[in-house]
């Protein structure tokens, strides 16, 4: 048997007006529609028409955006993805939910319901929440520290997965004649007891079409990478350079193997935010057009939230001193991943403060690239074929047009090169990512014959 050629995964990362911080000010964006469900259904249909793997919504349980200078994305993502599910048939549906500010049972129900409603297209982006302002929204005096959040997260995921597994696949009997709906012996309490969480179970819903939703993760700190190696089936990450992406890719695959997992069952998807035009110079003009709409005060606040470092004492046209980010670490030994990305930009490019704010305005530290459709496709192919990515989280600078130009110009080139599907080969998110359907931990071991 000849193995099928390796295929890219491509997600559309939906940020309502677009990933450039000034997108809402651009005449081609639609900030007036960010609370309109039909807007997101249209985006979902655009992504599905191009055969993208999934759409992804980030989320957090607090108002972090400076709403004086940017549009705030406020719709709860699991509810919104259910609406997109009704408007699509194949597109994967990934949402962020926090292990710090949910409880395992109610979060398990939300994603299980999304997976059932969509026919097996749900994915959970697991986060621990990195912002202190969330704690007060839940009656807490403080936000748990980094170590504590990840300790709770490990227990949380173990409990949620056990809940999803607590019904064996054949637990529903549906024997009308005998009056038996389900075999109670195939529905199991999980009796989970940890340091932070206790969950008895069993779950109150049958196993989902995918067995369980796809587990996604985006933290790239030391704790985050260890967590990803243990649990994640897809990983969203941010890198500026091919070499850094290659180092991260190799590290995560090795960590997965250390946990006894098949490294090929882990999809690593860096973010890419493309400005696309017929010529490279036109694409760069388009990027400058967006950058000229930025508000420095907003950019400074964003920089502080990303790095924990204030640069307000420097003039906008002053070169940012390298020593401001001393001790940021590197991609393989790094406690604060996005800080390292910013430190790398400062060290390599020696930008002015204004220039640094513009570099980060496009996608908050993810790779921003301006070029022709062929140049964008070349970059995607290079990273995919050189051990840096299994695909990409596509982050259009503005919506909806930024996604439309990517799907109409770049995707066909990738398809012509044999790197991306022309039709869906399955109906679930696991099918699109090439991930196996996991067996329930409570299922009996198969009996060997002979």
């Amino acid at each position: 048997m000849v193995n099928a050629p390796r295929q890219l995964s491509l997600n559309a990362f939906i940020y309502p007006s677009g990933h450039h911080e000034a997108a809402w000010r651009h005449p081609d964006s639609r900030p007036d529609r960010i609370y309109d469900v039909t807007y997101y259904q249209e985006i979902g249909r655009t992504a599905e028409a191009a055969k993208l793997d999934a759409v992804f919504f980030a989320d957090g349980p607090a108002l972090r955006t400076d709403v004086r200078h940017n549009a705030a994305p406020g719709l709860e993502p699991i509810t919104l993805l259910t609406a997109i599910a009704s408007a699509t048939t194949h597109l994967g549906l990934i949402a962020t939910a926090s292990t710090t500010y949910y409880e395992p049972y109610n979060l398990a129900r939300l994603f299980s319901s999304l997976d059932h409603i969509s026919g097996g297209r749900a994915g959970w982006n697991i986060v621990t929440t990195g912002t202190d302002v969330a704690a007060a929204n839940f009656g807490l005096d403080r936000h748990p520290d980094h170590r504590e959040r990840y300790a709770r997260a490990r227990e949380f995921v173990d409990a949620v997965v056990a809940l999803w597994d607590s019904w064996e696949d054949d637990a529903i009997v549906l024997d009308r004649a005998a009056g038996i709906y389900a075999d109670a012996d195939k529905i199991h309490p999980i009796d989970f007891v940890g340091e932070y969480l206790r969950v008895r179970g069993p779950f109150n819903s049958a196993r989902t079409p995918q067995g369980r939703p796809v587990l996604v993760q985006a933290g790239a700190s030391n704790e985050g990478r260890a967590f990803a190696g243990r649990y994640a089936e897809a990983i969203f990450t941010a890198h500026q350079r091919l070499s850094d992406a290659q180092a991260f890719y190799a590290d995560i695959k090795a960590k997965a193997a250390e946990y006894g997992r098949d490294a090929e069952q882990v999809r690593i998807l860096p973010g890419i935010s493309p400005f696309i035009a017929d010529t490279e110079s036109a694409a760069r003009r388009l990027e400058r057009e967006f950058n000229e709409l930025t508000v420095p005060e907003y950019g400074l606040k964003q920089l502080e939230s990303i790095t924990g470092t204030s640069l307000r004492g420097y003039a906008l046209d002053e070169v940012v001193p390298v020593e401001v980010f001393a001790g940021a670490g590197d991609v393989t030994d790094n406690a604060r991943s996005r800080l390292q990305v910013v430190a790398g930009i400062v060290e390599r490019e020696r930008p002015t403060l204004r220039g640094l704010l513009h570099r980060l305005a496009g996608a908050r530290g993810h790779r921003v690239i301006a070029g022709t459709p062929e140049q964008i496709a070349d970059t995607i192919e290079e990273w995919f074929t050189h051990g840096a990515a299994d695909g990409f989280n596509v982050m259009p600078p503005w919506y909806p047009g930024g996604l439309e130009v990517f799907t109409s110009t770049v995707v066909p080139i990738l398809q012509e090169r044999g790197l991306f599907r022309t039709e869906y080969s399955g109906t679930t998110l696991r099918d699109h990512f090439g991930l196996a359907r996991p067996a329930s931990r409570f299922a009996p071991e198969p009996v060997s014959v002979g």
Side-chain angles (χ1 to χ4, degrees), residues 303-310 336 339:
L303 179 63
E304 288 168 10
S305 70
I306 290 172
T307 68
T309 301
S310 175
R336 299 185 61 199
L339 172 62

Side-chain angles (χ1 to χ4, degrees), residues 176-375:
R176 292 185 174 91
I180 299 174
Y181 174 75
D183 183 346
D185 291 336
K186 295 187 176 183
I187 302 172
H188 308 273
I190 67 170
D191 294 321
F192 183 90
V193 178
E195 181 182 355
Y196 299 93
L197 300 166
R198 296 173 62 188
V199 185
R200 184 175 187 277
F203 201 38
N204 63 349
S205 180
R207 219 156 178 253
T208 73
Q210 294 189 104
R212 57 176 179 256
V214 174
L215 300 180
V216 183
Q217 191 263 357
S221 66
N222 296 333
E223 287 270 21
R225 290 197 310 275
F227 187 90
R230 182 172 177 177
Y231 296 106
E233 296 169 294
I235 296 161
F236 300 154
T237 184
H239 299 291
Q240 293 291 319
R241 298 188 300 174
L242 175 66
S243 59
D244 289 341
Q246 288 169 323
F248 179 86
Y249 186 97
D251 187 48
I252 292 294
K253 297 283 186 172
K255 281 182 168 56
E258 288 171 8
Y259 281 103
R261 302 177 60 204
D262 180 357
E264 295 302 312
Q265 291 287 294
V266 178
R267 306 290 282 173
I268 297 178
L269 309 172
I272 186 170
S273 187
F275 287 92
I276 306 166
D278 291 338
T279 66
E280 182 178 351
S281 60
R284 295 194 179 281
R285 281 197 304 273
L286 180 62
E287 182 181 12
R288 287 196 298 273
E289 182 180 319
F290 275 77
N291 284 342
E292 287 167 1
L293 295 173
T294 59
V295 177
E297 174 62 22
Y298 180 86
L300 287 166
K301 288 181 179 179
Q302 288 292 99
L303 179 63
E304 288 168 10
S305 70
I306 290 172
T307 68
T309 301
S310 175
L311 296 180
R312 292 175 182 272
Y314 298 94
L316 285 173
D317 294 315
E318 184 178 352
V319 173
V320 178
V322 174
E323 55 269 21
V324 170
F325 296 105
D330 60 38
V331 75
T332 58
D333 182 18
N334 177 39
R336 299 185 61 199
S337 56
R338 205 57 60 86
L339 172 62
Q340 186 271 323
V341 170
V342 176
I345 293 172
V346 171
E347 182 177 355
R348 290 189 303 273
E349 302 177 18
R350 302 305 308 276
T352 63
L353 178 54
R354 190 190 308 276
L356 178 62
L357 296 180
H358 285 171
R359 287 284 278 110
L360 299 177
R364 303 171 304 284
H366 290 273
R367 177 81 186 277
V368 178
I369 181 172
T372 66
E374 290 78 9
Q375 288 173 318

